[in-house]
Amino acid sequence: MPVLDSYQLTAAGAVMRLLLPILAVVLLVRLGHSLLFHRNLKEVWAWLILPDGKRLAITHWENTLGSRKSCDLCLKGEKISPVHAVLTRMDDGTWVVTDADSKKGIVVGGKKVQSATVKYGQNITLGDVKVKLEPFGEKQQEKQTRFRQKEGGPLRPFVTIFTLTAFQICLMTASLASAEEKLPIFLCAMALVVGEWGLFFLYRIFHRKGFEVESVAFFLCSVGQCVVASSAPNELYKQTATIFLGVGLFLLVGWMLRNQKRIRWMRPVAAVGGLALLIFTLLFAKEVNGARNWVFLGGMSFQPSELAKICFVFVGTASLDTLVTRKNLLFFVIYTGAVCLCLALLSDFGTALVFFVCFLVIAFLRSGNFAAVTLTTAAAAFGGMLATRFLPYITRRFESWRHVWEHALTGGYQQTRSMMCIASGGLLGLGAGQGWLKYVAAADTDLVFAFVSEELGLIFATLMVLYVVLLGVYVVRSAPLSRGCFQSIGACAAVSILLTQTILNVFGTVDLLPLTGVTFPFVSNGGSSMLSAWGLLAFLKAVDTRQNASFTVPRARRDDP
């Protein structure tokens, strides 16, 4: 272990190591307040008038109608099915009612239909119940808009982004103090600050006030820059460029999620694209550290399987009328099996596990069948046992699991060194660039939790994990209020990938789980992982329904029919 140098013995160094976790806590509290403690006010889009004159508020773009109490619009009638129909608001403001394989069907305009456009004031007969769709009203809409503007949003967003900038400057200063090449660190850190402020003001131009999930990502990206500056300074420019490419991908995916028709069109394209990426990897990838998932082109390397995660989430999304009229998940199960088979052939079982957890989340949200999900999990566990039996690479990982100190020079080398460095870093760390773990293979990717713990302290590394957990809690709280199933399922699937990667990375480092080679979102060194994390972040942005908070949620049109 290195001897403490003069930087670490100075009062300035000690203050900096104490200031970083304090700023991280302040920023986390502010972001958590904005994301978790605003009032969840529902949006009302129209009224459903019952036979007795009672009005039911329609608060989603996709709504189930039936006798079951869990339906969005519960109707009472002897001939009403538990889930009788789905009422959907289209992108142009029109409404479409779709029969959900009910026993008595639906009648619109005097004709029995499977699916039909419904005009305001037109009667809809479901079984023996006749209802009518009525507009919410322009004055009521304006009143609701004014009320929702007071529901709570970002907690003084300028103060929050100033806090983030102060943290980034302190982190840059800590990195500069021990770096030999100072110019790349300064330029890349300043580029990130300018980029985030540019995105923030772009949102303000378009009257979008929500910047919390982006702030979480930029915070973690700043930590990632610090890690790369210490472990591989020559890759700092590339990592920073990838962050900006990731932001571009984030905006592109968010634009796709604004339109329901665009999402439906994108799903088959994403399905083909995701498999194509994995097949391309099978044909042209080279093996690195036991897994054959790296493609080298023109002196640059990338992992197509990382981008396939975004495609997988697109494939898993579904509209409500699809869910209630076609209960089976056959296509998605087959697609998931093909994806996992490709990853197994690539010996990338860490990524395969991430995909499978995402599949379980999507399968449960799409079917609600806990028994089927349990059976699928059991089958996957059996497949995993077979893999450990016949694949030596996987077997070696499990042989050293929970026994790394007995294999300290072989299979447990990375984890034992990681835990030693975590202990040497203590609560506040040795200082940016002062660690020893950077000399161990994959320290800035697979072992990044230990890397940060050693240099910035265990407190700071734990806060880094809490930032990802904050995204998970935000999605759980916001998904039920999203405008449609596309957004809810997509956000839950995307955050499940981010959380699973974080769990595997952190717990694998400290030997609570086998070391799988999975990266920490936004922090680990790697362009493909960075692009994937930013692309998945767009799905989280899409469930933010606060007034004018998210650019992925189109604003209501005042001229809706």
Side-chain angles (χ1 to χ4, degrees), residues 456-473:
L456 301 180
L458 183 60
I459 293 176
F460 188 90
T462 303
L463 289 170
M464 183 177 71
V465 174
L466 291 179
Y467 272 82
V468 183
V469 173
L470 173 63
L471 295 179
V473 178

Side-chain angles (χ1 to χ4, degrees), residues 63-75 82-83 320:
N63 306 269
T64 51
L65 293 81
S67 60
R68 186 179 296 168
K69 292 183 179 180
S70 59
C71 288
D72 297 308
L73 301 168
C74 186
L75 307 176
V83 180
L320 193 57

